[in-house]
């Protein structure tokens, strides 16, 4: 295939290797065996949507494909699945139709978002000393405690005939990122750590380690 056509056919993922939402998308790409080029966002303080693949929310990940641009991890994962010829059995958030599973997915995504706000607000104001910051930390600890208490039942309640679930990928990316960014020590969360150790045996995890892009 000529270079130009090949570049057009291969999606471009816009993100960072240190970002947990980006890692969710990268794990899905690896699981779907989809090659992509990786465009690193160098400055997360930029206010130019052009630096975020055109995302007006100034957030990553974003994926450019021949069909258009996809904003956000869930959209990207769904499009990767649609493009995949493997079509693995994936459990998506809308299939979590009972409170335990639905709440677990909600808290995982909220904890990821809270972590982003904590990290970004600390970057902007290194003291991190304000009432909202303290409330967010309390909320984060509460959410992680809930996830720790319910981890076993949540994982047992997921549909057994699955190759992958958005819930497990996001949970793995959240827990490992809290450690990677030293936001919250994970040692006391034994169930969550146990889940991560088990999930980390997948090839897609070894292929997508967190690291700070140069
Ligand atoms: N709703 C988005 C959230 C993405 C998000 O918050 N990404 C973080 C990086 S992990 C980000 O872009 N942070 C930049 C900022 O907060 O300014 C998604 O699901 O992908």
């Amino acid at each position: 295939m000529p270079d130009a056509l090949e570049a057009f056919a291969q999606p471009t993922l816009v993100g960072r290797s240190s970002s947990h939402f980006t890692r969710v998308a990268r794990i899905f790409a690896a699981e779907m065996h989809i090659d992509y080029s990786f465009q690193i966002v160098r400055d997360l303080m930029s206010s130019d949507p052009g630096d975020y693949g055109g995302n007006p929310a100034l957030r990553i990940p974003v994926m450019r494909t021949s069909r258009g641009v996809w904003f956000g991890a869930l959209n990207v994962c769904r499009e990767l699945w649609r493009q995949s010829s493997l079509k693995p059995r994936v459990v998506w958030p809308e299939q979590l139709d009972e409170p335990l599973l639905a709440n677990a997915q909600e808290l995982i995504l909220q904890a990821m978002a809270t972590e982003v706000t904590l990290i970004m607000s600390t970057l902007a104001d290194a003291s991190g000393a304000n009432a909202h910051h303290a409330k967010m930390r309390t909320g984060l600890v509460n959410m992680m405690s809930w996830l720790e208490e319910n981890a076993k039942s949540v994982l047992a309640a997921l549909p057994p005939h699955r190759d992958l679930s958005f819930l497990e990928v996001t949970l793995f990316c959240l827990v490992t990122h809290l450690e990677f960014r030293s936001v919250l020590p994970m040692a006391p969360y034994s169930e969550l750590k146990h889940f991560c150790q088990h999930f980390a045996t997948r090839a897609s995890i070894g292929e997508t380690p967190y690291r700070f892009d140069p």
Side-chain angles (χ1 to χ4, degrees), residues 19-21 44 58-61 72-73 116 120:
S19 139
H20 51 6
F21 281 109
L44 271 191
L58 311 177
R59 300 263 167 167
I60 48 173
V116 170
M120 294 303 292

Side-chain angles (χ1 to χ4, degrees), residues 22 31-33 51 55 69 76 80 83 87 103 116 121-122 133 140 142 157 162 203 205 213:
T22 303
E31 294 277 345
M32 310 292 141
H33 295 187
D51 290 334
N55 187 353
V69 182
V76 170
L80 287 165
Q83 287 193 11
K87 293 281 183 291
N103 290 340
V116 170
S121 66
T122 308
H133 197 99
L140 181 63
N142 292 349
R162 67 183 187 280
I205 302 304
D213 297 307

Side-chain angles (χ1 to χ4, degrees), residues 3 52 84 148 155 168 196 205 212:
D3 278 358
Y52 302 83
S84 155
E148 170 70 12
L155 296 167
E168 287 163 293
C196 287
I205 302 304
F212 291 106

